[in-house]
Amino acid sequence: MSIEPIGDRAELQDIEVREFRISPIIRVTLLSLYLALTVPLPFLSAVTGAPISPGVLWVGLAMGAVAVYGALSEKAIANAEGIQVTYPQWVPRGVRKGWMLPWNEVAALKPRTTGQGGLVYYFVSKSGQGYLLPMRVVGFSELVKIVEAKTGIDTRDVRPLAQPWMYFILLGFTLLLLLIDAWMIATALNLSR
């Protein structure tokens, strides 16, 4: 389903269903970074004679890649009743659990500082439970407009956690790291002959 531009507040009151997925640049960057950080490990294990076999490392890396991909498959859904965060059915509920919050249960939208100094926002329900506002989605500003229209909460100061240019820089460094990995893997393969 494509996301259409949202008009005025009256139109927002009658939204059907809007889906917001994690930005492709974020997904590509984080998956590439995972690969850049982990793929050399089995090759280094083979060359150095580490106690963990390369086969075990490959299995672990594959499981980790599936977990990272599953986490990056998050989808936020906003409709007339509320907001929901879901994951594909193949992602075990114990690993990543989605949530649903009706609009009439939202008491506040509270900012929290992250360990790295960023700012994230949590929906606070009337029962006091917190739900993380999805901030890495395509169409974040539209999602925030829907939240404001449905809850009446002022969202003028709500900004995305990271700007796209930050992920482009991270992707550039990740590609550089992948080049270094290719050189290191080639060297490891030559040493193991």
Side-chain angles (χ1 to χ4, degrees):
M1 168 180 277
S2 64
I3 300 170
E4 300 167 9
I6 297 177
D8 62 17
R9 193 176 172 106
E11 288 178 33
L12 289 173
Q13 295 297 336
D14 299 325
I15 63 165
E16 292 178 17
V17 176
R18 302 268 188 206
E19 292 185 1
F20 302 88
R21 297 182 185 274
I22 291 183
S23 170
I25 185 65
I26 294 172
R27 290 176 72 165
V28 167
T29 300
L30 295 180
L31 283 169
S32 299
L33 183 60
Y34 175 81
L35 292 175
L37 293 173
T38 59
V39 167
L41 297 176
F43 296 99
L44 291 174
S45 173
V47 170
T48 61
I52 299 175
S53 76
V56 170
L57 286 172
W58 281 117
V59 169
L61 297 180
M63 289 170 46
V66 169
V68 170
Y69 183 80
L72 293 173
S73 298
E74 176 184 279
K75 178 173 54 172
I77 302 169
N79 59 29
E81 289 80 41
I83 184 167
Q84 178 178 12
V85 171
T86 65
Y87 295 89
Q89 289 183 344
W90 57 266
V91 176
R93 289 192 48 74
V95 175
R96 291 297 251 176
K97 194 178 351 176
W99 52 267
M100 198 300 182
L101 181 63
W103 295 122
N104 61 1
E105 287 294 314
V106 176
L109 187 62
K110 297 283 186 180
R112 295 284 183 259
T113 304
T114 67
Q116 296 79 28
L119 197 61
V120 296
Y121 291 86
Y122 282 87
F123 289 108
V124 179
S125 69
K126 290 180 180 175
S127 66
Q129 190 165 357
Y131 300 87
L132 182 64
L133 173 69
M135 299 182 72
R136 292 184 170 102
V137 295
V138 174
F140 178 74
S141 62
E142 294 180 24
L143 177 61
V144 170
K145 287 178 187 176
I146 292 170
V147 169
E148 183 169 355
K150 291 296 187 177
T151 64
I153 296 171
D154 182 11
T155 60
R156 280 180 289 178
D157 295 332
V158 177
R159 303 277 182 265
L161 181 60
Q163 299 298 321
W165 63 267
M166 296 176 183
Y167 283 97
F168 281 115
I169 290 172
L170 181 58
L171 181 59
F173 282 115
T174 299
L175 294 174
L176 181 61
L177 182 57
L178 285 168
L179 288 173
I180 294 168
D181 286 351
W183 168 79
M184 195 232 21
I185 290 169
T187 302
L189 291 173
N190 284 335
L191 289 175
S192 65
R193 288 184 188 161

